[in-house]
Amino acid sequence: MKEALIFDLSRKGRRGIRFGSPDVPSKPVQQMIPQKHLRSEPADLPELPESEVVRHFIRLSNLNYHVDKNMYPLGSCTMKYNPKINDYTSGLQGFTSMHPLQPEKTAQGCLRLMYELSEMLCEIAGMAAATLQPAAGAHGELTGILLIKKYHESLGSKRNKLLVVDSAHGTNPASAAIANYEIVSINSNAEGRTDIEDLRQKLTPDVAALMLTNPNTLGLFEKDILAIEKLVHENGSLMYMDGANMNALTGITRPGDMGFDIVHYNLHKTFSAPHGGGGPGSGPVGVCDKLVPFLPVPVIEKTGESNNARYTMNMNRPESIGRMMNFYGNFGVLVRAYTYIRMLGAEGMQSISENAIINANYLLSRLLKTFDLPYPKPVMHEFCLSGDRQKKQHNVRTLDIAKRLLDYGFHAPTIYFPLIVSEALMVEPTETETRETLDAFADALLAIADEAENNPELLLNAPGQTPVQRLDEAQASRQLNVCCFGC
Ligand SMILES: *Cc1c(COP(=O)(O)O)cnc(C)c1O
């Protein structure tokens, strides 16, 4: 399973490409480039035929797990397959050779794409306007919270608290803290949903907003959302929706219709852009009418219709919170999301959610007898099991189950999140997996539960089939060894 460095594969004199002699007059390089910039010895570059270069990199890519290899059941992350056409369109020369400071009149196509993407996102979530600037979901949260702050300031009111439910993603309280809010945690009830009594008690006049994820991180729809909305708005507070789980809602229901004032989208989740190597992501934010004046600048505006339509970037917005990003957001990701929505259309948007929900419920039904489900079903697009039974009976932890899954050729689900579930094992299959893939994943988990009973050592020592075995994960992310494989 080891792969040598490309330098070690090199053999002197091997060539991938040979250039013919130029058929235009040329001077020796020594006459064109000043002596002091020239090398005294040739660079020590690897020498290999093209076939060996390609094979080397394909072998390297196989050492890694990726969404083109197999299913990625990471709960909350919506790791769906990324259609290749998205990469084709985002690589079109008309996009890639744009300069961000080009005059508006030469960038009409790009501006139109951004304008139309905002409109489509607003339609999907029932919002009045959107900004495409934020670089990720967490950055969208910060943007939304700054909008909340500005809104209350514009009314002359000072509210310094944000309510966050205890099942929330860690970015919610983190974003609130960055914006200088005091965070008040709301309990979940026995059903795994917002405890309305607890909310009622903590909803004091200094609360700026409630941050809610719907469906929540347990994959459960907040059935009492309209009652919650009424309470929060009667208190003069705003409703923020963490839209990372929009994959369960598109084409079925809309945050705006549930009374949310702000929502962030994760284009790298719901809208099929890759979560590649730490980025880039994109976390647009949609808002209701009364928050539109505060949106970040520039705001893209349209005048005229069809062939006469012109798109401009308006910087003159006196109430704006300012810029959240240099230039306009991660444009390549916007092109991918635009392509995805356009390819699927309105019907396709609905089938995303329907298939995501049925896939999650199918998978859950296959695992239900073997693993504990701490909060009652039915679920939406994901579910959260607990490895408590396996821990109590066989002394293996969820971490061991996750590691053993790697030996079966699957990425592990999200584990130990949300924090309110002990030994959490959180699975989100997404709509892009076939029944056969879901069955293979369920079979692997069931086989591992069997091993936990009969041969727990296999789990405790897993993984055994991967290029590297069990890492000290905290140290691995602090002391990167990127110089070469296995050194
Ligand atoms: C992914 C996620 C976030 C944060 O989004 P990033 O794009 O990773 O910053 C926030 N909330 C929930 C529920 C998420 O799943």
Side-chain angles (χ1 to χ4, degrees):
M1 276 220 224
K2 296 220 164 172
E3 179 64 21
L5 292 181
I6 196 161
F7 288 92
D8 296 334
L9 297 174
S10 165
R11 294 291 176 273
K12 200 141 199 63
R14 290 212 173 134
R15 286 281 182 282
I17 291 178
R18 231 174 264 280
F19 293 106
S21 343
D23 55 2
V24 288
S26 78
K27 292 191 225 167
V29 64
Q30 286 79 358
Q31 287 174 26
M32 295 191 289
I33 299 174
Q35 192 60 36
K36 64 175 181 195
H37 294 313
L38 287 174
R39 291 177 180 280
S40 52
E41 284 171 31
D44 186 18
L45 298 176
E47 299 177 65
L48 293 91
E50 179 180 308
S51 53
E52 289 305 318
V53 175
V54 172
R55 287 171 187 164
H56 170 70
F57 284 106
I58 292 290
R59 286 193 298 265
L60 279 182
S61 78
N62 278 321
L63 292 176
N64 252 326
Y65 196 89
H66 45 85
V67 80
D68 286 343
K69 202 166 175 180
N70 206 353
M71 172 186 181
Y72 237 111
L74 276 178
S76 216
C77 297
T78 314
M79 299 288 286
K80 59 177 73 177
Y81 175 74
N82 311 134
K84 296 293 169 251
I85 189 162
N86 295 352
D87 294 329
Y88 167 76
T89 52
S90 64
L92 288 173
Q93 208 201 345
F95 294 133
T96 54
S97 52
M98 291 294 290
H99 191 282
L101 293 178
Q102 244 172 268
E104 266 169 21
K105 66 175 190 304
T106 67
Q108 288 294 301
C110 292
L111 292 175
R112 178 177 166 189
L113 182 140
M114 289 196 282
Y115 183 87
E116 290 182 358
L117 177 61
S118 310
E119 284 210 312
M120 295 190 294
L121 291 174
C122 285
E123 176 67 30
I124 289 167
M127 292 286 147
T131 173
L132 304 175
Q133 279 183 32
H139 196 204
E141 290 168 22
L142 179 62
T143 305
I145 293 169
L146 294 177
L147 293 168
I148 290 168
K149 196 173 234 178
K150 192 88 188 199
Y151 167 76
H152 287 300
E153 278 171 13
S154 78
L155 300 177
S157 90
K158 279 211 165 45
R159 293 174 178 242
N160 63 343
K161 284 185 185 154
L162 279 181
L163 306 185
V164 181
V165 182
D166 60 6
S167 60
H169 195 275
T171 50
N172 289 191
S175 305
I178 287 176
N180 247 333
Y181 277 97
E182 187 184 320
I183 298 138
V184 180
S185 178
I186 305 292
N187 298 330
S188 301
N189 60 23
E191 270 193 338
R193 298 185 171 83
T194 305
D195 180 337
I196 299 201
E197 252 335 289
D198 195 44
L199 171 66
R200 204 190 299 274
Q201 279 172 25
K202 291 172 179 164
L203 206 49
T204 47
D206 49 2
V207 168
L210 167 69
M211 293 182 87
L212 207 60
T213 312
N214 198 17
N216 66 24
T217 58
L218 297 165
L220 303 171
F221 190 80
E222 291 284 357
K223 288 188 288 195
D224 295 323
I225 188 62
L226 297 179
I228 293 173
E229 180 265 335
K230 196 154 174 276
L231 277 177
V232 171
H233 281 149
E234 276 172 4
N235 191 54
S237 317
L238 294 177
M239 292 276 290
Y240 181 97
M241 185 165 116
D242 176 335
N245 290 342
M246 274 298 288
N247 215 49
L249 306 182
T250 55
I252 298 179
T253 182
R254 310 191 304 169
D257 300 341
M258 298 173 209
F260 283 99
D261 302 294
I262 307 160
V263 60
H264 84 251
Y265 315 75
N266 298 61
L267 299 190
H268 47 289
K269 294 180 179 171
T270 318
F271 300 99
S272 85
H275 308 218
S282 179
V285 173
V287 295
C288 66
D289 278 318
K290 64 181 179 218
L291 297 176
V292 174
F294 310 117
L295 282 175
V297 282
V299 170
I300 299 164
E301 291 171 354
K302 176 183 176 185
T303 50
E305 279 308 319
S306 49
N307 283 346
N308 294 322
R310 281 290 166 269
Y311 299 87
T312 49
M313 282 184 278
N314 189 352
M315 287 295 295
N316 184 21
R317 311 253 310 176
E319 292 187 277
S320 165
I321 60 168
R323 276 182 184 276
M324 287 306 291
M325 178 109 168
N326 43 3
F327 303 123
Y328 326 105
N330 283 327
F331 184 75
V333 181
L334 306 181
V335 181
R336 287 177 170 87
Y338 180 89
T339 308
Y340 186 66
I341 299 172
R342 270 289 157 96
M343 291 284 294
L344 283 170
E347 255 174 56
M349 282 294 122
Q350 186 176 336
S351 58
I352 288 177
S353 310
E354 289 172 349
N355 287 317
I357 293 168
I358 201 156
N359 273 2
N361 282 280
Y362 173 71
L363 199 50
L364 175 60
S365 74
R366 290 219 43 206
L367 299 170
L368 207 46
K369 282 208 199 87
T370 310
F371 295 91
D372 293 337
L373 180 73
Y375 294 99
K377 58 181 180 114
V379 295
M380 297 285 281
H381 66 307
E382 66 188 357
F383 55 88
C384 193
L385 301 169
S386 162
D388 267 351
R389 195 188 314 176
Q390 282 70 20
K391 189 175 178 185
K392 261 189 223 108
Q393 296 179 355
H394 315 299
N395 215 13
V396 297
R397 295 167 301 159
T398 282
L399 178 72
D400 305 314
I401 296 173
K403 293 293 182 193
R404 184 65 180 147
L405 260 173
L406 308 181
D407 283 337
Y408 281 82
F410 285 101
H411 195 280
T414 298
I415 56 174
Y416 300 107
F417 173 77
L419 303 176
I420 57 173
V421 173
S422 76
E423 295 296 318
L425 199 69
M426 186 197 199
V427 180
E428 178 180 7
T430 82
E431 73 282 8
T432 59
E433 300 307 331
T434 62
R435 174 157 178 196
E436 288 73 19
T437 304
L438 298 179
D439 278 333
F441 178 70
D443 291 344
L445 265 177
L446 297 177
I448 291 168
D450 218 49
E451 289 172 349
E453 198 174 330
N454 300 310
N455 194 356
E457 288 298 307
L458 273 177
L459 277 66
L460 299 173
N461 296 324
Q465 314 287 326
T466 46
V468 288
Q469 270 66 57
R470 206 174 281 212
L471 299 174
D472 176 339
E473 281 160 20
Q475 201 190 355
S477 69
R478 284 173 181 75
Q479 289 183 12
L480 289 181
N481 179 359
V482 291
C483 65
C484 71
F485 180 68
C487 37

